Amino acid sequence: MKYRLASDTWGSEEVDAIQRVIESGRYTMGEQVKAFEEQFAKFFDSNYAVMTNSGSSANLITIASLALNPKYKNKGNIIVPAVSWSTTYFPVHQWGYKLRFVDVDPYTFNIDVNKVEEAIDEDTAAIFTVNLLGNSSNLHDLKMLCDKHDIILLEDNCESLGASTEYNFKCGSVGEMGTFSFFFSHHMQTMEGGMVLTDDPLTYEYLKSLRAHGWIRDMADDSPLYKKSGDPFEDSFKFILPGYCVRPLEMSGAIGQEQLKKWPDMLLGRRKNAWHAVESFQKISGVRLQKEIGISSWFGFGLVLQDHLKGRRKEVINILTHCGVETRPIVAGNFMKNPVIDRLNWDSVGTFEAADDLHENGFFIGNDSISLHNEINMVSDIIGNIK
């Protein structure tokens, strides 16, 4: 491929970090993970961070902690955007909530705040917004809606590490909990890995217990969730929540520390590519680029075919693939069009013109921390020459 979705961002620092873990003899979650969590929380001005083995697992324990914590509603509906990744939705269903789909904005690709307000009722427990492809949701207005209706705001920020809102708040740190992913094709790469941020000390204790079997071993001695006996033997195998085993490897924590050091420069590289992409795609007809809210971290470049190219996505993708350009759908498109929907507890409010348009005419190409100006020019030229 001449233009890939993602490339390796590791250097000798990450390899050396792995070697240090090997030499320590401690491979499972330990001091390296703890250090990364502390550094990550500080970077985002959050009180707490809990690392997991994936962003999907981060979403899972986020929804589980919502359902199990008595200060939140443990039933009802959770409002979600019609366009996102599958594991935004599955934990909502698995923990007994009804998925309530609303449409997205056709230009930002994120949840439509006006549609959200129409969907809120007395059974609504939370809004689970998704900051899609590096782009912030309208978090200010969503937070105001949540405060008005006394419901919880959650952020799936797995695709938008480093993005900021219109008011310069860091995405993933605005809601009660925010999730991140460190998969290979994402902004930071720790082999596999995810994170949950929260400012609430009780939520932090729920997340730690749910991450590791539902036991109390990783909880603070003075935890507001459960008081330990003080006997290490008794406390080693004491279980209080129906948890999972979604802990990260110690190697991932060590790699994460090195990636975090590089992150400001990697983010700048992505934004330089984005400035060039905005300029390039504005010059051609038949396609529009995702509209930025606040400051995007540009996971990729989301494109929607329009005018003379609308309805011709298969043709356009075939041409791009033939020219060596790797592409993907806009995440899962309108998720209600996926066959798995028949197995989920869900309803919807309103119509879905924007989600359907992304489903049928949308795709994205990659972004990276290295310069992609030539590759972006190539795609722009290819699309611009399709008549």
Side-chain angles (χ1 to χ4, degrees):
M1 303 300 289
K2 296 178 181 177
Y3 187 171
R4 296 187 177 276
L5 287 172
S7 66
D8 186 358
T9 60
W10 287 14
S12 60
E13 302 89 347
E14 287 80 2
V15 176
D16 291 343
I18 292 174
Q19 188 59 40
R20 287 196 299 272
V21 172
I22 293 172
E23 291 171 358
S24 75
R26 171 67 184 258
Y27 304 139
T28 59
M29 185 180 74
E31 291 304 311
Q32 296 298 325
V33 168
K34 182 178 179 181
F36 181 41
E37 289 173 334
E38 292 172 350
Q39 293 166 19
F40 196 83
K42 183 177 180 181
F43 186 88
F44 281 87
D45 300 316
S46 293
N47 291 338
Y48 309 105
V50 177
M51 192 179 185
T52 60
N53 62 358
S54 71
S56 295
S57 296
N59 282 345
L60 177 62
I61 64 171
T62 291
I63 299 300
S65 67
L66 186 77
L68 292 169
N69 191 334
K71 77 174 185 176
Y72 304 128
K73 292 182 181 179
N74 63 4
K75 60 182 179 179
N77 64 70
I78 292 180
I79 296 171
V80 294
V83 178
S84 186
W85 190 248
S86 61
T87 48
T88 301
Y89 307 118
F90 294 159
V92 175
H93 165 80
Q94 290 160 349
W95 275 95
Y97 294 99
K98 176 177 282 189
L99 289 154
R100 175 159 290 178
F101 290 96
V102 299
D103 204 4
V104 297
D105 182 278
Y107 299 101
T108 69
F109 305 172
N110 288 326
I111 198 165
D112 187 324
V113 176
N114 294 322
K115 300 288 183 71
V116 170
E117 187 155 27
E118 296 171 10
I120 296 172
D121 63 19
E122 61 183 11
D123 291 327
T124 302
I127 300 168
F128 196 7
T129 192
V130 181
N131 305 316
L132 205 72
L133 294 179
N135 200 25
S136 173
S137 301
N138 191 336
L139 291 169
H140 176 266
D141 289 356
L142 289 171
K143 186 67 169 67
M144 289 182 64
L145 272 181
C146 287
D147 292 343
K148 175 182 175 181
H149 294 279
D150 193 27
I151 57 179
I152 299 302
L153 177 63
L154 305 170
E155 292 179 76
D156 182 333
N157 199 53
C158 289
E159 292 183 352
S160 297
L161 192 156
S164 301
T165 71
E166 290 179 293
Y167 297 91
N168 206 32
F169 293 103
K170 294 176 180 177
C171 294
S173 67
V174 178
E176 192 81 3
M177 288 172 272
T179 62
F180 297 78
S181 172
F182 309 129
F183 181 64
F184 171 77
S185 63
H186 289 204
H187 293 85
M188 286 173 46
Q189 304 168 353
T190 66
M191 297 189 289
E192 296 275 3
M195 193 78 80
V196 187
L197 291 182
T198 185
D199 286 333
D200 183 68
L202 180 58
T203 299
Y204 178 53
E205 296 299 309
Y206 270 95
L207 292 168
K208 287 190 294 180
S209 179
L210 286 162
R211 170 180 64 181
H213 313 287
W215 65 17
I216 67 171
R217 187 187 300 181
D218 301 321
M219 292 165 48
D221 292 338
D222 58 348
S223 169
L225 178 57
Y226 184 85
K227 184 174 177 56
K228 292 182 177 180
S229 71
D231 182 337
F233 182 83
E234 293 292 335
D235 291 338
S236 61
F237 283 179
K238 184 78 69 178
F239 301 92
I240 60 168
L241 296 175
Y244 305 94
C245 184
V246 293
R247 293 173 298 188
L249 294 174
E250 188 75 337
M251 289 179 183
S252 294
I255 296 164
Q257 295 174 60
E258 300 304 325
Q259 287 271 289
L260 191 59
K261 294 174 187 175
K262 298 178 177 181
W263 173 240
D265 289 335
M266 290 198 293
L267 179 58
L268 179 59
R270 284 178 173 271
R271 287 181 173 156
K272 286 180 177 178
N273 288 332
W275 299 333
H276 187 76
V278 170
E279 181 180 358
S280 295
F281 288 112
Q282 281 178 343
K283 297 176 181 178
I284 61 173
S285 61
V287 69
R288 71 174 186 270
L289 181 66
Q290 181 186 29
K291 179 183 176 182
E292 183 179 23
I293 289 185
I295 303 176
S296 177
S297 57
W298 297 99
F299 179 94
F301 300 118
L303 300 166
V304 183
L305 300 174
Q306 58 187 10
D307 302 330
H308 69 287
L309 292 181
K310 189 168 185 173
R312 298 170 62 187
R313 185 174 65 177
K314 186 173 183 179
E315 175 189 350
V316 172
I317 295 301
N318 285 342
I319 292 171
L320 290 171
T321 302
H322 179 75
C323 294
V325 180
E326 197 170 10
T327 61
R328 290 291 187 275
I330 303 292
V331 202
N334 181 344
F335 198 77
M336 292 176 288
K337 293 180 179 291
N338 281 270
V340 72
I341 199 70
D342 294 335
R343 298 178 179 270
L344 304 179
N345 180 21
W346 67 281
D347 65 14
S348 63
V349 175
T351 57
F352 293 86
E353 290 88 355
D356 288 343
D357 192 28
L358 295 183
H359 192 91
E360 296 163 6
N361 293 294
F363 64 97
F364 78 90
I365 56 176
N367 191 17
D368 213 318
S369 55
I370 59 175
S371 176
L372 296 174
H373 291 198
N374 292 335
E375 289 82 353
I376 291 166
N377 290 341
M378 176 179 67
V379 173
S380 178
D381 289 343
I382 292 169
I383 296 175
N385 286 316
I386 301 174
K387 304 302 181 185

